């Protein structure tokens, strides 16, 4: 784990705000963390805390950390240090806190408490204690996979805390009350037309480079009625696009006794009043069945978008990663999606420099990327992660070689994604408007997920007066007229669905 190497800047805590206890909730990392933060916000709000995302004037700053890779851990540490400089009480939660617990607290005296997932149901009481100056015992990490039965279908009804699953939370919810009649344990921290909906938590895979299952636990699905109830609630707050998130969305339903549960759920979510687009993320290629491909590519209201976790395409590297597939199998998977929806979007992330990776392996990955026509490509340089199998593997690639390979792949990715964007010139797309500011209207097409895949700027010839009536949440049909890297420029044709 990275140690903090900054002088202490905790300072004296300022008096409690005269208008009540105020907590700033700062979220780092992925969309799954964002959902967890909105559950924490609901719990705190119910206890009378004023919840904000601005640290200015806060009595407590709660940082929902990310602990996935080294860069994310460094960002979490810097955020905690910056929060300590405000004079507020600082509390670490989230993945890095869960993963390192007491070790993090000992290396960062600036944090007044380090809380694990088991503290989430009592988050208001925990912060109250911190604000009162009481000592909170640091979370002690453990392998959360051991908390649930090995057999997926035996996991239902477990009392294990699952962040972002909306319970248990008395008196906010009663487990015996049908999901559609329960208050939703969530408070939105943003106002945009897009929100994530957590399908499940945890992962049962054992990828050699990944530590997530150890601190997120075994895979547990949320039930369809819970998801539909939350989707309806989100739509009622103005959400127009749902992004389905989890550690592995293709496993959804296996613990519910129905491996086709996601295929059945997608049209139901798309039919929720007010929702105009449903997007699935975090697909595992080895588990992406033909029926799911057809459901994503061919269901009205579902984005024909494939966020596939390839990680590499060389068979020897994939086997060492404890993954399955090959260049040809992955190309066939993409082809099956494009057979149903020729304009389907696709993105993936890749690791270079994994132990044992050879020049031939890199060439094979280059071949795949060149033929795959992906809309977005993320490249990560391999680094050892605590507690992973890969950290102990022989055949480590030198840092200099990893950097050369990383730079090569990043340059190639930028070029290929720009070429793929250019292929869309003249294409008709549906753009969900995200922002309207100073006459600039920006949104995303079906192949563009929030934050990671570029965006589309709507433009019209002349003075642009035709854009003045557009607002966030509108779904507009448009024709692509230009590109800039992965970003598109498109001319509106007609309104498909106006925001309510």
């Amino acid at each position: 784990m990275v140690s903090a190497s900054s002088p202490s800047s905790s300072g004296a805590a300022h008096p409690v705000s005269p208008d009540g206890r105020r907590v700033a909730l700062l979220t780092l990392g992925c969309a799954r963390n964002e959902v967890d933060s909105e559950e924490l916000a609901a719990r705190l709000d119910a206890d009378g805390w004023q919840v904000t995302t601005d640290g200015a004037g806060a009595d407590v700053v709660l940082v929902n950390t990310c602990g996935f890779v080294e860069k994310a851990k460094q960002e979490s540490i810097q955020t905690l240090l910056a929060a300590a400089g405000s004079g507020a009480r600082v509390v670490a939660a989230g993945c890095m806190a869960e993963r390192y617990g007491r070790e993090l607290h000992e290396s960062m005296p600036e944090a007044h408490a380090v809380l694990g997932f088991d503290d989430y149901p009592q988050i208001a009481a925990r912060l109250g204690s911190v604000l009162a100056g009481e000592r909170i015992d640091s979370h002690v990490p453990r392998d959360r996979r051991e908390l649930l039965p090995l057999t997926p279908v035996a996991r239902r009804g477990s009392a294990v805390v699952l962040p972002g699953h909306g319970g248990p939370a008395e008196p906010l919810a009663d487990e015996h009350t049908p999901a559609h009649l329960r208050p939703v344990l969530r408070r939105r921290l943003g106002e945009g037309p897009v929100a994530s909906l957590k399908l499940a938590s945890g992962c049962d895979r054992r990828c050699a480079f990944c530590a997530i299952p150890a601190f997120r636990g075994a895979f547990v699905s949320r039930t369809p009625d819970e998801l539909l109830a939350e989707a309806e609630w989100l739509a009622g707050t103005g959400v127009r696009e749902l992004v389905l998130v989890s550690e592995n969305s293709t496993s959804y339903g296996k613990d519910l006794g129905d491996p086709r549960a996601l295929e059945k759920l997608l049209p139901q979510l798309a039919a929720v009043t007010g929702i105009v687009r449903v997007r699935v993320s975090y697909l595992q290629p080895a588990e992406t069945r033909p029926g799911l491909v057809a459901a994503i590519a061919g269901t009205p209201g579902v984005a024909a978008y494939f966020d596939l976790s390839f990680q590499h395409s060389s068979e020897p590297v994939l086997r060492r990663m404890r993954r399955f597939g090959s260049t040809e199998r992955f190309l066939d998977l993409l082809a099956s999606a494009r057979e149903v929806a020729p304009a389907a979007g696709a993105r993936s992330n890749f690791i270079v420099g994994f132990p044992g990776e050879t020049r031939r392996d890199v060439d094979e990955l280059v071949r795949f990327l060149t033929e795959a026509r992906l809309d977005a490509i993320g490249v990560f340089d391999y680094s050892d992660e605590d507690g992973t199998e890969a950290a102990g593997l022989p055949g480590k690639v030198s840092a200099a070689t990893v950097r050369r390979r990383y730079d090569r792949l990043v340059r190639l990715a930028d070029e290929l994604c720009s070429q793929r964007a250019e292929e869309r010139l003249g294409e008709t797309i549906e753009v969900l408007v995200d922002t309207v500011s100073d006459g600039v209207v920006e949104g995303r097409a079906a192949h563009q997920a929030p934050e990671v895949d570029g965006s589309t700027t709507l433009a019209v010839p002349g003075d642009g007066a035709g854009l003045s009536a557009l607002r966030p949440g509108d779904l507009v049909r448009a024709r692509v007229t230009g590109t800039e890297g992965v970003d598109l420029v498109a001319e509106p044709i007609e309104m498909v669905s106006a925001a309510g």
Side-chain angles (χ1 to χ4, degrees):
M1 194 192 84
V2 179
S3 298
S5 55
S6 171
S8 175
S9 55
S10 56
H14 56 69
V16 175
S17 305
D19 53 351
R21 301 169 298 174
R22 183 178 301 147
V23 56
L25 224 173
L26 309 183
T27 307
L28 304 175
C30 64
R32 302 184 295 273
N33 255 17
E34 294 173 4
V35 177
D36 296 352
S37 285
E38 294 192 345
E39 178 187 302
L40 291 172
R43 295 182 186 276
L44 290 163
D45 183 74
D47 195 60
W49 286 79
Q50 297 180 40
V51 183
T52 177
T53 57
D54 183 356
D59 302 306
V60 178
V61 177
L62 176 60
V63 182
N64 188 351
T65 60
C66 179
F68 179 41
V69 293
E70 192 64 32
K71 292 176 183 177
K73 288 182 279 190
Q74 289 280 15
E75 182 184 7
S76 294
I77 288 173
Q78 293 305 316
T79 302
L80 289 164
L81 290 172
S86 70
R89 297 277 177 172
V90 178
V91 176
C95 291
M96 187 176 181
E98 176 66 36
R99 185 175 181 184
Y100 293 106
R102 185 176 296 165
E103 181 184 351
L104 175 62
H105 202 186
E106 290 173 352
S107 65
M108 284 205 68
E110 294 85 355
H112 295 85
V114 175
L115 304 180
F117 296 148
D118 291 336
D119 292 301
Y120 282 21
Q122 294 81 37
I123 189 65
R126 296 288 187 271
L127 296 196
S129 296
V130 169
L131 193 57
E134 299 173 11
R135 175 182 172 82
I136 302 291
D137 288 337
S138 298
H139 160 67
V140 178
R142 54 182 172 174
D143 189 333
R144 295 190 71 85
R145 291 172 294 191
E146 298 174 356
L147 303 180
L148 289 163
L150 184 62
T151 305
V153 293
R155 296 172 188 165
R156 303 307 309 167
S158 170
V160 174
V161 174
L162 301 169
H165 281 227
E170 296 291 358
L172 290 181
D174 180 347
E175 63 181 357
H176 301 295
T177 302
H180 69 282
L181 297 179
R182 299 181 211 163
V184 171
L185 186 60
R186 184 168 179 176
R187 176 188 160 178
R188 292 198 69 198
L189 294 172
E191 298 179 349
V194 184
S196 296
L197 180 63
K198 183 175 277 193
L199 285 173
S201 288
C203 184
D204 288 339
R205 302 191 70 87
R206 295 294 183 267
C207 300
F209 54 82
C210 184
I212 289 176
F215 58 84
R216 274 290 182 177
F219 186 88
V220 180
S221 302
R222 299 179 67 192
T223 61
D225 62 332
E226 292 172 351
L227 294 167
L228 288 167
E230 189 166 322
E232 290 173 0
W233 178 84
L234 287 168
T237 70
V239 170
R240 303 276 278 164
E241 177 177 327
L242 298 172
V243 181
L244 308 186
V245 300
S246 70
E247 275 75 28
N248 178 5
S249 296
T250 41
S251 283
Y252 178 72
K254 73 175 187 179
D255 52 329
L256 304 176
D258 186 359
R260 296 185 60 243
L262 183 54
E263 300 167 33
K264 299 173 183 177
L265 179 65
L266 289 175
Q268 293 177 284
L269 290 171
V272 171
T273 301
I275 299 300
V276 295
R277 180 184 289 162
V278 177
R279 183 185 304 277
V280 186
S281 59
Y282 305 104
L283 300 172
Q284 175 63 236
E287 298 179 23
T288 305
R289 302 169 301 278
L292 181 57
V293 170
I296 294 174
T299 302
V302 176
Y305 171 83
F306 292 84
D307 175 19
L308 292 155
S309 176
F310 289 130
Q311 302 301 344
H312 215 285
S313 73
S314 168
E315 286 192 77
V317 174
L318 288 167
R319 297 301 175 268
R320 284 193 294 276
M321 288 180 169
R322 293 197 178 276
R323 296 174 67 87
F324 303 94
S326 66
T327 293
E328 301 308 329
R329 289 184 181 181
F330 292 163
L331 291 174
D332 287 345
L333 176 57
L334 291 168
S336 69
R338 289 165 177 154
E339 184 177 355
V340 180
R347 79 170 323 276
S348 191
N349 294 323
F350 300 88
I351 298 172
V352 293
F354 190 81
E357 182 188 64
T358 66
R359 192 176 306 168
R360 179 177 295 180
D361 294 324
V362 177
D363 289 343
E364 181 67 4
L365 177 55
V366 167
R367 181 173 79 89
F368 170 71
L369 293 175
T370 304
E371 297 183 29
R373 297 170 57 233
L374 299 174
D375 292 277
I377 299 169
V379 181
F380 293 87
D381 48 340
Y382 172 80
S383 62
D384 287 338
E385 281 297 312
D386 301 332
T388 63
E389 179 185 355
L393 288 178
K396 290 290 194 293
V397 181
S398 72
T401 300
V402 172
R403 173 51 57 176
R404 286 197 303 272
R405 292 175 182 177
Y406 172 82
D407 291 342
R408 176 190 178 189
L409 266 294
V410 168
R411 289 193 299 270
L412 177 65
D414 288 345
E415 178 183 349
L416 292 173
C417 291
S418 295
Q419 291 175 4
R420 177 64 181 133
E422 290 173 1
E423 291 179 15
R424 295 191 181 275
L425 285 169
E427 190 174 289
T428 299
I429 58 177
E430 291 188 353
V431 178
L432 181 70
V433 176
D434 281 331
T435 60
V436 179
S437 178
D438 297 327
V440 178
V441 180
E442 190 170 359
R444 292 168 299 98
H447 70 279
Q448 296 171 321
E451 308 295 338
V452 294
D453 292 343
S455 62
T456 297
T457 301
L458 293 177
V460 295
D463 60 8
L467 300 175
S468 60
L470 293 178
R471 54 181 175 161
D474 286 343
L475 186 66
V476 180
R477 187 168 289 114
R479 181 174 295 105
V480 179
T481 58
T483 68
E484 184 174 343
V486 297
D487 298 326
L488 304 180
V489 178
E491 182 177 344
I493 299 172
E494 61 182 343
M495 178 73 73
V496 177
S497 176

